[in-house]
Amino acid sequence: MAGNALARAPLAAGFADPVRDSQAVFRAVMTALARPALPQPLAVALGPPAPLTPELAAVALALADHEAPLWLDGPLASVSAVADFLRFHTGAPIVTDPAGAAFALVADAAALPPFDAFAQGTQDYPDRSTTVVAAVERLAQGRGLAFEGPGIRQRAALDAAPVPADLAQRLARNRALFPRGVDLVLVAPGRIAGLPRSLTPVGEP
Amino acid sequence: MSAATGYSFAYLDEQTKRMIRRAILKAIAVPGYQVPFASREMPMPYGWGTGGVQVTASIIGPDDVLKVIDQGSDDTTNAVSIRKFFARTAGVATTTKTREATVIQTRHRIPEAKLGEHQILVYQVPIPEPLRFLEPRETETRRLHALADYGLMHVKLYEDIARHGHIATTYAYPAEVAGRYVMDPSPIPKFDNPKMDMCEALQLFGAGREKRIYAVPPCTRVRSLDFEDHPFTVQSFREPCALCAATGVYLDEVVLDDRGGRMFVCSDTDFCEERRADGHRGHLLGEAPAAIAGEAGDA
């Protein structure tokens, strides 16, 4: 038994300075949601087990704990080292029902599950909803989905890939549920952008 | 834990900060909705800004510059002690200058200077529920918010008009955020309500005793409730500030003697000091001692 445990790869390290690092990551997430569809810098020095990206790991380590369960998408759930890493560093339960999660981590954003699989809150308590954090490869301003809403002066456009082809329609349906709905956070290497439920997609810019 | 002070960074433990941070994220995603949170006991009594302090402690980082105001003033007991609290527990730089601050915690005022997008305004809130004095039951007010049923508030404003001929609510004036939730902007004078509309800064509201956090994202519509035939108006003042001659700002009345003498001065002390430093002079400034005339180094 002991030999089996020792044979595994050693657990990757968490934040070098948990207090400062989680504050910095939280501020990036907060700014991303307060200024939607505007990519913010997110510097992370983590080496989590693949396919968990450093940015996904950083958001989880900064915000998940025993009160905030995590859900992992297929590619993440299929690698046990990912769950081991997250359990050790956050203490968060890892749930199999996406509706039971405070944060859903998605490595394969193109296969993003439908939003109604996640908790959407209730009309009385819209805060009891899942925040979906999805890793993409490209995240930049302009030439993509266009949005209006709180936090945006006039209109903002976000170029993110890969994402589901019908993301704009999904976000429009999500907006129609307001104040219920999920909040989507996209992360790419070194960047983060928020698409909270308050946003209205307005087609091509 | 900082070895130098013996306190956790910004006083709160990490689990508490994560809980508050998650509440802040929901508050931003649903502008104006009051997110319940597990408010902690703080080393100060309720009513002294425990909600604002917990929000500030959860967002502040070592590179932030903190300003704290109480009724616009940087030098009253509440403002001084909260500023010292964070200087000691978080080691952050503090300032009284609105322009230099990245985080501004406020009790009952919004600074006169226009806030920028790099700034966060944290309000201390006593009663977060705008409908509380009209409907005491939490279950009912929660349902009214869920249904966006704000008829009760309009009746209250209408009764003001029926009784006084105008809307007599002068502070904590209810405002609709992003076309959905009606919120209590904390007891700021209604003079400050228009500053919340399309404000460049993120606005966060913390109510410690009532255990609620809510938010207005930057560049968000905030509309003060009114009627077509009784549009929302702000207070106006007949005279300019007695020290810096500013007009179009919120003034405090200061009683000077027991013979009816009084002066009106800027409630925002930093704004007033900057104007005096720029050479603006009010009609009573010449008689003021150097210490309050903006000439002393530590004024």
Side-chain angles (χ1 to χ4, degrees):
Chain A
M1 294 294 275
N4 195 11
L6 285 174
R8 285 189 189 174
L11 199 65
F15 286 135
D17 183 342
V19 173
R20 285 186 174 216
D21 292 352
S22 26
Q23 188 272 339
V25 171
F26 160 72
R27 276 288 276 270
V29 179
M30 181 176 83
T31 310
L33 284 169
R35 300 177 194 281
L38 182 64
Q40 305 290 328
L42 176 64
V44 182
L46 288 174
L52 189 65
T53 71
E55 289 76 21
L56 282 178
V59 174
L61 264 54
L63 291 165
D65 58 29
H66 63 278
E67 292 179 343
L70 293 167
W71 177 84
L72 306 179
D73 77 339
L76 290 174
S78 66
V79 180
S80 66
V82 168
D84 291 345
F85 173 85
L86 292 170
R87 269 200 206 96
F88 179 81
H89 288 297
T90 68
I94 294 177
V95 295
T96 51
D97 176 11
F103 293 92
L105 303 184
V106 177
D108 182 6
L112 192 66
F115 286 160
D116 55 15
F118 301 104
Q120 301 187 312
T122 64
Q123 203 69 15
D124 284 5
Y125 290 96
D127 54 302
R128 295 177 182 174
S129 60
T130 306
T131 301
V132 180
V133 189
V136 294
E137 283 155 24
R138 193 174 74 230
L139 197 55
Q141 235 181 315
R143 269 186 15 88
L145 301 166
F147 300 96
E148 289 174 355
I152 300 175
R153 176 168 297 287
Q154 284 170 330
R155 189 171 280 205
L158 184 69
D159 178 20
V163 292
D166 64 342
L167 184 63
Q169 289 89 320
R170 291 195 201 185
L171 289 167
R173 283 199 298 275
N174 192 46
R175 176 69 179 95
L177 289 174
F178 192 87
R180 296 164 61 223
V182 303
D183 306 314
L184 181 61
V185 174
L186 298 176
V187 292
R191 324 190 101 189
I192 182 167
L195 298 175
R197 69 191 82 173
S198 56
L199 281 196
T200 309
V202 287
E204 298 298 316
Chain B
M1 178 98 61
S2 155
T5 65
Y7 288 107
S8 298
F9 179 78
Y11 187 78
L12 292 176
D13 60 278
E14 288 303 296
Q15 201 274 326
T16 297
K17 283 190 228 167
R18 274 193 301 272
M19 175 269 297
I20 295 174
R21 287 168 181 169
R22 291 193 294 262
I24 291 172
L25 297 182
K26 297 291 186 201
I28 291 170
V30 190
Y33 166 70
Q34 304 161 46
V35 183
F37 80 110
S39 177
R40 300 296 196 239
E41 268 196 55
M42 297 301 286
M44 62 187 71
Y46 287 138
W48 282 68
T50 54
V53 164
Q54 289 179 80
V55 170
T56 301
S58 302
I59 63 171
I60 204 162
D63 301 329
D64 277 311
V65 180
L66 178 70
K67 170 182 165 85
V68 185
I69 53 172
D70 173 2
Q71 303 267 15
S73 170
D74 291 281
D75 45 19
T76 51
T77 313
N78 198 207
V80 170
S81 52
I82 291 173
R83 206 160 52 231
K84 274 192 183 159
F85 175 78
F86 282 111
R88 182 153 176 203
T89 61
V92 294
T94 61
T95 183
T96 60
K97 302 229 177 305
T98 303
R99 245 180 301 113
E100 292 171 2
T102 56
V103 177
I104 303 174
Q105 183 172 326
T106 175
R107 174 179 175 272
H108 306 186
R109 266 321 300 282
I110 298 175
E112 301 290 356
K114 198 167 180 291
L115 299 179
E117 60 177 45
H118 63 290
Q119 297 179 307
I120 302 170
L121 188 58
V122 178
Y123 295 74
Q124 303 171 197
V125 182
I127 308 282
E129 178 50 72
L131 304 167
R132 182 60 69 232
F133 291 111
L134 308 170
E135 171 51 70
R137 289 168 296 182
E138 168 68 15
T139 47
E140 287 301 304
T141 52
R142 184 162 291 281
R143 181 40 55 94
L144 292 173
H145 282 294
L147 300 173
D149 180 355
Y150 298 115
L152 207 54
M153 184 59 86
H154 280 105
V155 170
K156 192 250 181 197
L157 296 178
Y158 168 74
E159 284 181 348
D160 267 6
I161 296 169
R163 192 167 302 164
H164 306 288
H166 62 277
I167 298 175
T169 305
T170 54
Y171 65 94
Y173 193 102
E176 179 196 77
V177 184
R180 177 58 174 80
Y181 283 94
V182 165
M183 73 161 187
D184 183 330
S186 86
I188 57 170
K190 69 175 180 176
F191 183 89
D192 284 341
N193 270 31
K195 293 181 193 160
M196 297 188 293
D197 184 39
M198 296 303 278
C199 177
E200 297 273 353
L202 169 63
Q203 303 173 77
L204 300 173
F205 299 76
R209 182 186 52 218
E210 304 291 320
K211 302 175 175 56
R212 296 290 185 273
I213 286 171
Y214 50 109
V216 176
C219 303
T220 297
R221 283 268 159 232
V222 178
R223 187 180 66 83
S224 302
L225 298 186
D226 60 358
F227 298 99
E228 275 173 24
D229 52 347
H230 283 270
F232 174 78
T233 54
V234 299
Q235 293 100 332
S236 59
F237 298 89
R238 252 172 286 147
E239 46 189 292
C241 170
L243 296 181
C244 77
T247 55
V249 297
Y250 194 73
L251 302 180
D252 284 338
E253 183 180 7
V254 179
V255 174
L256 295 176
D257 51 37
D258 57 1
R259 299 186 304 275
R262 59 199 58 216
M263 68 195 285
F264 287 87
V265 293
C266 288
S267 142
D268 184 337
T269 51
D270 171 59
F271 180 81
C272 196
E273 276 163 22
E274 259 187 37
R275 276 182 57 87
R276 278 179 269 147
D278 288 348
H280 296 278
R281 300 184 64 82
H283 70 281
L284 287 180
L285 186 62
E287 296 157 43
I292 64 165
E295 287 153 22
D298 59 346

